[in-house]
Amino acid sequence: NAGVTQTPKFQVLKTGQSMTLQCAQDMNHNSMYWYRQDPGMGLRLIYYSASEGTTDKGEVPNGYNVSRLNKREFSLRLESAAPSQTSVYFCASRLPGQGVYGYTFGSGTRLTVV
Amino acid sequence: AQSVTQLGSHVSVSEGALVLLRCNYSSSVPPYLFWYVQYPNQGLQLLLKYTSAATLVKGINGFEAEFKKSETSFHLTKPSAHMSDAAEYFCAVSEGSSNTGKLIFGQGTTLQVKP
């Protein structure tokens, strides 16, 4: 089915380890986003890519890096994981000018840093 | 800067009762407003959206929301709660004319439905 696919679904890391969260969409969307969800704080934007070849910081970018590999894929990297990065991470995408239609979200990656 | 405030982190209603989830926003430009629902261990699903057309918006599963510019509110309602409505609900705002399309989310409201 068309949509946004995130891998892995679950991950446990030790403090200081690195990992990359993968996101891919097959809807030919231009814009992609990474959010983190924490209890009582809703979803907060980490990074976004308005179009292929561009990336910009969101509300909470510290400790993360991103790569817009091509139009389909947008990865999120934790270089040195910290317990404060324990969260649920969501990737989303949309077409330009699709503010009226909202986003399509992936099913999330649950990350625990111990 | 845009922001969204959801009043009440937890709301509990009896099955068959009215559901009212409150959302207030601030935006310096005409906003686009959204309600999303998240069921346990799942992603977010769009319930409904306001895009400067009709102020009363109907969504899926019997939910609706009314945009009130004078009150900067976009409250979500459902006349009769069902057990399957138990979930977390998020209000979100987007700058409608912005090319970045960033969504700003509220803190979320967990809806409990009691039998």
Side-chain angles (χ1 to χ4, degrees), chain B:
Chain B
Q2 293 176 308
S3 66
V4 176
T5 301
Q6 292 182 240
L7 299 177
S9 58
H10 288 85
V11 171
S12 181
V13 301
S14 298
E15 190 173 20
L18 172 71
V19 175
L20 171 60
L21 304 183
R22 300 179 186 272
C23 172
N24 288 89
Y25 71 92
S26 68
S27 177
S28 58
V29 299
Y32 289 171
L33 294 159
F34 306 84
W35 275 99
Y36 284 87
V37 61
Q38 184 182 33
Y39 298 103
N41 300 314
Q42 294 188 26
L44 277 73
Q45 179 182 359
L46 181 66
L47 266 181
L48 50 79
K49 58 187 182 289
Y50 166 76
T51 59
S52 74
T55 57
L56 182 62
V57 180
K58 295 187 183 299
I60 62 172
N61 301 338
F63 284 94
E64 62 181 37
E66 186 173 8
F67 172 70
K68 291 187 176 180
K69 185 177 179 180
S70 61
E71 299 178 7
T72 60
S73 69
F74 191 57
H75 301 330
L76 182 70
T77 60
K78 183 174 181 177
S80 177
H82 191 273
M83 295 297 291
S84 61
D85 294 327
E88 188 161 20
Y89 292 80
F90 293 94
C91 183
V93 63
S94 172
E95 291 181 347
S97 60
S98 169
N99 189 46
T100 65
K102 293 185 289 184
L103 270 177
I104 306 299
F105 286 86
Q107 305 92 319
T109 298
T110 300
L111 176 65
Q112 180 187 24
V113 182
K114 298 177 291 185

Side-chain angles (χ1 to χ4, degrees), chain A residues 5-21:
Chain A
T5 302
Q6 291 184 235
T7 56
K9 293 189 182 301
F10 301 93
Q11 183 71 49
V12 178
L13 288 179
K14 294 182 178 179
T15 297
Q17 286 186 318
S18 62
M19 79 161 294
T20 300
L21 282 64

Side-chain angles (χ1 to χ4, degrees), chain A residues 5-58:
Chain A
T5 302
Q6 291 184 235
T7 56
K9 293 189 182 301
F10 301 93
Q11 183 71 49
V12 178
L13 288 179
K14 294 182 178 179
T15 297
Q17 286 186 318
S18 62
M19 79 161 294
T20 300
L21 282 64
Q22 307 286 353
C23 174
Q25 52 86 14
D26 57 4
M27 299 171 287
N28 203 35
H29 286 177
N30 287 40
S31 302
M32 300 184 72
Y33 307 82
W34 276 106
Y35 285 86
R36 61 177 288 174
Q37 182 182 19
D38 302 290
M41 305 188 76
L43 281 77
R44 293 178 293 169
L45 182 64
I46 305 171
Y47 270 94
Y48 66 101
S49 172
S51 60
E52 186 179 356
T54 68
T55 61
D56 286 285
K57 295 178 180 180

